[in-house]
Amino acid sequence: MKQLTKKWGKSLGIYLALMIIFPFVMPDEYYRSVGIIIGLQAIVAIGLCLVMGLAGQISLGQASFWGIGAYTSAVLTTKFGLTPLVGLVASAIVPAVFAFILGRAIAGLQGYYLAMATLAFGYIVQIGIQEWEPVTGGASGMISIPQVPFFGGSELSMYYLIWGIVTCVLLFSLNLMHSRIGRAFRAIHKSEVAATSMGIDVRKFKLNAFVVSGMFAGISGGLYAHYMGILDPQPFGMHESIKFLTMVVIGGMTSIWGALIGTLVIGFISEGLVMLSEVVPGLQGDVDTIVFGGILVLIVMFMPEGLVPRIRSLYEKAQAKKAAANAEQRVERKAAI
Amino acid sequence: MTTLLTVQDLSRDFGGVRAVNHVDFEVKQGEILALIGPNGAGKSTVLNMVSGVIPPSEGEIRFANQLMTRVPGYEYAKLGITRTFQNLQTFDDMTVLENVMVGMHTKTHSSLFSCGMSLTTARREERTMQERAHTWLEKVGLSSLASSHAGSLPYGKLRLMEIARAMVAEPKLLLLDEPAAGLNHTETAEMSRMFQEIRENGTAILLVEHDMDMIMTIADRIVVLDQGSKIAEGTPREIQENPCVIAAYLGTEEQVESRG
Amino acid sequence: MTELLQYVANGLVSGGIYAIVAVGFITIYNVSKVINLAQGEFLMLGGMVTVAMIGMNVPYALAAFLAILIVTLIGVLMQKYVIAYVKKASPISLIILTIGISTLIRGLASLIWGKDAYSLDPITSNQPFSLGGVNIAQQSVWILAAVLIVLFLLWYLMDKTMLGKKINACSVNPMAARLMGISPAKMSMLAFGISGATGAIAGIVIAPLSVTSYDIGVLLGIKGFSAAILGGLGNPLGAAVAAFILGIVESLGAGYISSGMKDAIAFLVLIVMLLVKPSGIFGERSVGKGGL
């Protein structure tokens, strides 16, 4: 256990160091904004990881909670003149309520039913945003959403605000994973029968995971709205939901760190594709969709556990080999004496 | 001795096939009751009904004077019934210690929020859980493997881990589904001693097992099932002498022994 | 009254398309216990490949035929090289896999054909005809005819031929089927091929009526799945009936409530159905319920 916390401390140290120095290594405003967006996506991905990797559920509509969060805060601040802080609190609560209602309804569903129900929910939300024009501005969207008054709202201060929140979400999830609640989630994933026999209310725990993930996505959505200043329904559809799914799957569903690493990987790929499209003029359509789809297929086929767990098990194997070699040497030395 | 568990007129159908047919028996406080019978006699099905995994088609199960038929499966542990599984249900990606700690779910109460925030109460509870889990790992002899991944353990060790996981919940009734399967003679003898100790400390045991040595040594009473129906009940000595049982079950004992 | 009949007529046409998608889901599910979330992409490919071929001056009928052939082949290859590869994957992995395939196909389609919507000439004239005051596009008749023929052929294949019996054997008991010398892998490949072919046909006949583009597959996929669940997964006849009902309900909703809400209505039906009776109106077979 002590070893575990120590290892954990090391990853955390590396993470904090990289996160803090990034804006100075990349002083360009553009890269800071890319960093901000990646941070926002990481919050959603970590929440999705709690649902998928830990509780073993699937959600193909995570972007809709993101959207609900974004529109909640945007509407409250622009139409009702509330401060962004109140808006942000609401953007955590409202999606969580939606997740609770949806989750309660579908907590008994599994597998394909769940996949389709969340996919359908995602569509309903996007259609709802488009059709509820008087409030959401419909397809043309909303403008002049106020900024979060955090150290003047410069790009740099927003970067630290958002990555500070990412860090909180990350720590919360890591703590959770190594607590009775997290163990209950993981137990459900492995065997619902055994979990039940140990007194774990499977439905309730699945619902809890769903609500927390909805809340994380909502917080991220609210921040997104205030950071961007404008909103339209386009980024809250299936394309984005699949993107979140890909982040979690590539990093390793069962690992919170995996969700973070997955978000970074997809972030790099997306940036790479943007550059590529500037170089190759004829590149039309959603090239990133091809990449996401390809990654999903290849990961399931060749590395179903995902990047972080794979690297960890390789590392552990190497350590074990080293330990075995050391022990052998010791025996030989003893024999020599 | 007071009665802990009463099973009355219990039946279970699987798609028109009757797996368990009007079975009655009782488990008294602090006794070991063995449920035996040839393969396919319905022993595991009875255990699955008593542990709330599957509902009975007919009949009643009462535990500590409470009718269990309508109690949801996850309430069983809190009321005092825990179990192990014949086809091991372990959490392979967790460590042995974590596996056992899951067993203490009903004994702990930290909320999702306090766990995520790692509040003092949650941390204190986590420490207590670790200590208690370690105590039980010591009792089953797995202390040295506490931080190994369960997936890397051999079969026999996993059986012991499941017992520790079921016992940390401090049940009144422990259900064991073939705990000695796949164990060698010494391991079985050790396990028998452990079960006797568990009984001494006040936990009743309902045991499904094929190993006759173990049953004859530790069981206070035996219920014999054959093709879903109860054909005999009594002390080990009575069962050994019962002609019905000899015909239905002990006739195959040679096979059982040669297999072990 | 005429208005109502008009909506019902429109609903029947889209219901027919959903029926083909739903039956496609079931054909694959019955044999391999996989829900192919890329089912909708078969329709998209059918329409788009035909459009592309005609753009290359291939005659209409030949273009349609080649498109069906190509999509069938895609279905078979998908089973052989991807689905069969991960035979022992968990359900959640299979979902991710088929979602991945669907995303990949959609992305490739957008790369090849762009994001524009294309339209296909109707099989016969563009001129609608009137039947008791209800306006009916000639293409609608073609669609319904194609749907009924496809459904009939599928029924005939499954219920009346030796091949159908083999496929059914795999669905009921793969182990016994293997002992009888039937290869479940081959039957599974066949099922993907059939789903590809029927999907492509549906995609081609619907293209003249509603334009086709790279992203039409998702919606059609979800709606077909809704119908498959409504009808009780595993029951093709129930699914077909449910598909027509779904099409009509959706059309009435679009007509009387709001056309923008048309798709939301279908999804609401799906979610409500999942909550109330996941085993469907006509079927008792359940999937996704984890047993012991």
Side-chain angles (χ1 to χ4, degrees):
Chain A
M1 207 62 208
K2 214 181 241 169
Q3 213 179 357
L4 199 74
T5 27
K6 216 162 86 189
K7 209 164 81 186
W8 215 47
K10 210 197 261 172
S11 327
L12 203 62
I14 295 170
Y15 157 75
L16 283 174
L18 287 178
M19 185 271 276
I20 290 167
I21 62 169
F22 175 80
F24 298 103
V25 181
M26 296 283 197
D28 196 77
E29 286 279 292
Y30 174 72
Y31 285 107
R32 283 179 187 170
S33 77
V34 170
I36 290 171
I37 296 293
I38 289 180
L40 290 170
Q41 289 170 338
I43 298 172
V44 185
I46 291 170
L48 184 58
C49 178
L50 289 177
V51 171
M52 283 180 60
L54 299 189
Q57 301 279 91
I58 193 161
S59 167
L60 299 179
Q62 210 60 18
S64 54
F65 295 120
W66 203 41
I68 293 172
Y71 271 93
T72 301
S73 199
V75 168
L76 288 180
T77 46
T78 54
K79 311 262 157 161
F80 297 93
L82 297 174
T83 68
L85 198 65
V86 178
L88 283 173
V89 171
S91 72
I93 295 170
V94 175
V97 171
F98 270 93
F100 180 79
I101 296 167
L102 179 70
R104 212 185 142 82
I106 65 178
L109 300 177
Q110 286 181 344
Y112 299 108
Y113 289 137
L114 193 62
M116 278 298 184
T118 49
L119 198 60
F121 176 74
Y123 262 99
I124 292 176
V125 169
Q126 208 182 16
I127 293 169
I129 293 173
Q130 258 162 32
E131 292 296 306
W132 201 11
E133 220 174 315
V135 177
T136 63
S140 47
M142 304 178 70
I143 50 163
S144 50
I145 302 161
Q147 284 191 328
V148 183
F150 183 76
F151 290 105
S154 74
E155 207 75 0
L156 189 64
S157 62
M158 276 311 278
Y159 174 88
Y160 282 120
L161 171 69
I162 280 159
W163 277 92
I165 294 171
V166 174
T167 310
C168 292
V169 165
L170 182 73
L171 286 175
F172 185 91
S173 305
L174 285 170
N175 282 334
L176 197 64
M177 189 165 167
H178 294 282
S179 72
R180 71 184 282 269
I181 307 286
R183 280 189 295 271
F185 285 150
R186 285 143 76 200
I188 291 170
H189 191 177
K190 210 74 204 165
S191 162
E192 292 194 7
V193 174
T196 306
S197 85
M198 263 154 268
I200 296 163
D201 183 349
V202 172
R203 266 171 171 258
K204 190 182 119 191
F205 271 80
K206 283 182 178 174
L207 181 59
N208 284 347
F210 214 66
V211 171
V212 173
S213 86
M215 187 181 274
F216 285 178
I219 292 169
S220 168
L223 289 165
Y224 176 82
H226 293 293
Y227 169 66
M228 297 299 281
I230 50 168
L231 272 189
D232 68 89
Q234 197 260 334
F236 306 116
M238 182 177 173
H239 180 264
E240 212 65 20
S241 286
I242 299 281
K243 194 170 177 179
F244 290 132
L245 179 77
T246 314
M247 291 168 180
V248 174
V249 170
I250 194 174
M253 276 192 281
T254 53
S255 162
I256 302 286
W257 287 109
L260 186 66
I261 303 282
T263 313
L264 292 177
V265 170
I266 296 297
F268 277 120
I269 292 175
S270 298
E271 275 315 296
L273 289 175
V274 170
M275 282 182 214
L276 192 72
S277 70
E278 280 163 10
V279 183
V280 186
L283 218 54
Q284 55 175 357
D286 298 329
V287 183
D288 55 347
T289 317
I290 303 175
V291 176
F292 301 154
I295 288 175
L296 289 174
V297 172
L298 292 177
I299 288 276
V300 173
M301 287 176 79
F302 302 111
M303 196 171 60
E305 75 273 36
L307 269 176
V308 170
R310 168 63 67 94
I311 290 167
R312 191 179 292 153
S313 83
L314 285 180
Y315 175 78
E316 272 167 13
K317 251 182 221 157
Q319 292 291 89
K321 219 184 224 169
K322 217 165 48 189
N326 279 346
E328 217 166 85
Q329 263 182 1
R330 232 172 294 146
V331 171
E332 274 169 15
R333 227 175 289 151
K334 246 184 211 165
I337 293 165
Chain B
M1 263 191 288
T2 46
T3 305
L4 192 60
L5 178 82
T6 315
V7 169
Q8 221 166 43
D9 204 24
L10 193 66
S11 298
R12 171 73 202 194
D13 302 319
F14 288 111
V17 180
R18 182 141 282 207
V20 174
N21 191 18
H22 303 292
V23 169
D24 302 289
F25 64 86
E26 286 183 350
V27 180
K28 299 196 174 68
Q29 227 147 41
E31 78 165 343
I32 297 181
L33 179 76
L35 204 55
I36 66 169
N39 282 330
K43 305 174 301 266
S44 286
T45 311
V46 169
L47 214 62
N48 282 338
M49 285 190 279
V50 173
S51 61
V53 174
I54 53 172
S57 306
E58 276 175 53
E60 275 185 10
I61 299 168
R62 283 177 183 280
F63 178 74
N65 291 323
Q66 185 176 2
L67 185 62
M68 299 298 279
T69 328
R70 303 231 157 194
V71 174
Y74 59 85
E75 290 279 353
Y76 279 58
K78 203 189 278 173
L79 292 171
I81 300 180
T82 57
R83 66 169 296 177
T84 67
F85 295 87
Q86 184 191 347
N87 54 342
L88 297 172
Q89 300 277 332
T90 55
F91 310 127
D92 292 348
D93 51 346
M94 293 189 211
T95 66
V96 171
L97 183 71
E98 284 178 309
N99 262 275
V100 177
M101 284 163 80
V102 177
M104 290 183 63
H105 189 82
T106 54
K107 295 275 161 190
T108 47
H109 308 283
S110 299
S111 66
L112 192 149
F113 180 76
S114 65
C115 283
M117 299 303 282
S118 197
L119 300 181
T120 329
T121 48
R123 281 209 304 271
R124 197 180 301 140
E125 207 172 62
E126 182 83 5
R127 268 199 301 279
T128 328
M129 283 169 93
Q130 282 176 13
E131 280 160 20
R132 287 256 288 282
H134 268 302
T135 314
W136 265 101
L137 281 177
E138 218 158 282
K139 281 190 195 173
V140 301
L142 290 180
S143 299
S144 59
L145 294 170
S147 54
S148 310
H149 276 269
S152 66
L153 258 58
Y155 209 67
K157 307 272 184 210
L158 291 177
R159 293 220 169 273
L160 292 168
M161 187 187 82
E162 279 206 348
I163 293 168
R165 193 176 67 182
M167 281 309 295
V168 284
E170 299 173 343
K172 294 186 193 115
L173 175 64
L174 174 65
L175 310 177
L176 299 165
D177 200 350
E178 301 199 20
L183 300 193
N184 65 32
H185 198 73
T186 341
E187 287 169 329
T188 311
E190 262 173 49
M191 194 175 263
S192 297
R193 267 198 297 283
M194 191 165 75
F195 293 158
Q196 282 167 319
E197 203 177 299
I198 288 172
R199 171 180 56 187
E200 243 77 291
N201 290 324
T203 298
I205 295 178
L206 176 56
L207 171 71
V208 167
E209 185 47 68
H210 277 300
D211 189 303
M212 278 301 145
D213 278 349
M214 176 185 251
I215 289 167
M216 293 304 165
T217 335
I218 66 170
D220 296 303
R221 286 185 310 120
I222 296 175
V223 168
V224 188
L225 294 184
D226 186 28
Q227 294 178 4
S229 302
K230 183 169 93 172
I231 57 167
E233 179 173 354
T235 63
R237 181 172 295 270
E238 286 164 2
I239 294 299
Q240 267 170 327
E241 287 159 5
N242 187 319
C244 271
V245 179
I246 294 167
Y249 185 84
L250 294 182
T252 64
E253 198 190 359
E254 276 172 46
Q255 286 171 341
V256 173
E257 273 185 353
S258 67
R259 203 187 49 182
Chain C
M1 190 60 199
T2 325
E3 203 182 38
L4 178 73
L5 283 176
Q6 181 73 55
Y7 293 143
V8 171
N10 295 348
L12 276 176
V13 174
S14 41
I17 297 297
Y18 304 156
I20 291 191
V21 184
V23 173
F25 271 117
I26 292 170
T27 306
I28 290 177
Y29 175 74
N30 272 351
V31 179
S32 59
K33 299 290 169 261
V34 171
I35 295 282
N36 173 29
L37 297 176
Q39 191 67 33
E41 309 312 326
F42 289 159
L43 278 80
M44 180 273 289
L45 285 173
M48 294 300 275
V49 172
T50 310
V51 169
M53 293 250 180
I54 288 175
M56 290 185 276
N57 293 324
V58 179
Y60 199 130
L62 184 63
F65 176 74
L66 286 175
I68 295 168
L69 209 65
I70 289 171
V71 180
T72 308
L73 198 66
I74 290 174
V76 171
L77 293 178
M78 177 176 150
Q79 197 282 334
K80 187 166 182 201
Y81 290 107
V82 184
I83 308 283
Y85 186 88
V86 292
K87 243 182 293 181
K88 290 194 182 83
S90 64
I92 194 167
S93 295
L94 279 173
I95 295 169
I96 294 168
L97 186 66
T98 56
I99 275 283
I101 294 170
S102 136
T103 311
L104 185 62
I105 293 178
R106 203 161 51 245
L108 286 171
S110 80
L111 183 68
I112 298 169
W113 296 300
K115 290 189 167 184
D116 300 331
Y118 296 86
S119 126
L120 198 58
D121 283 337
I123 296 175
T124 49
S125 141
N126 247 333
Q127 209 59 46
F129 62 91
S130 177
L131 193 78
V134 177
N135 275 324
I136 298 172
Q138 291 187 18
Q139 186 67 21
S140 300
V141 180
W142 284 109
I143 291 174
L144 279 176
V147 168
L148 292 177
I149 290 170
V150 165
L151 292 180
F152 173 78
L153 286 179
L154 267 180
W155 167 79
Y156 187 82
L157 177 76
M158 290 299 178
D159 272 31
K160 300 288 166 196
T161 64
M162 199 55 212
L163 192 61
K165 292 206 168 76
K166 284 185 184 173
I167 292 178
N168 279 325
C170 289
S171 132
V172 176
N173 189 341
M175 188 71 93
R178 195 170 299 143
L179 291 174
M180 303 275 293
I182 304 167
S183 155
K186 260 196 197 130
M187 292 303 130
S188 180
M189 227 147 76
L190 190 68
F192 272 84
I194 291 172
S195 287
T198 55
I201 293 171
I204 294 166
V205 291
I206 189 81
L209 206 59
S210 64
V211 290
T212 183
S213 65
Y214 79 106
D215 61 352
I216 61 159
V218 186
L219 284 177
L220 289 170
I222 304 181
K223 288 177 186 174
F225 183 79
S226 307
I229 290 181
L230 279 168
L233 204 54
N235 177 352
L237 187 67
V241 175
F244 282 108
I245 296 174
L246 184 67
I248 292 169
V249 169
E250 196 184 82
S251 168
L252 291 176
Y256 289 116
I257 303 169
S258 147
S259 62
M261 297 296 279
K262 175 172 168 245
D263 297 328
I265 290 165
F267 301 145
L268 276 176
V269 170
L270 169 67
I271 289 186
V272 169
M273 192 62 204
L274 283 172
L275 303 185
V276 181
K277 197 163 180 289
S279 60
I281 311 172
F282 306 105
E284 274 302 306
R285 294 198 215 175
S286 70
V287 281
K289 297 269 168 196
L292 185 62

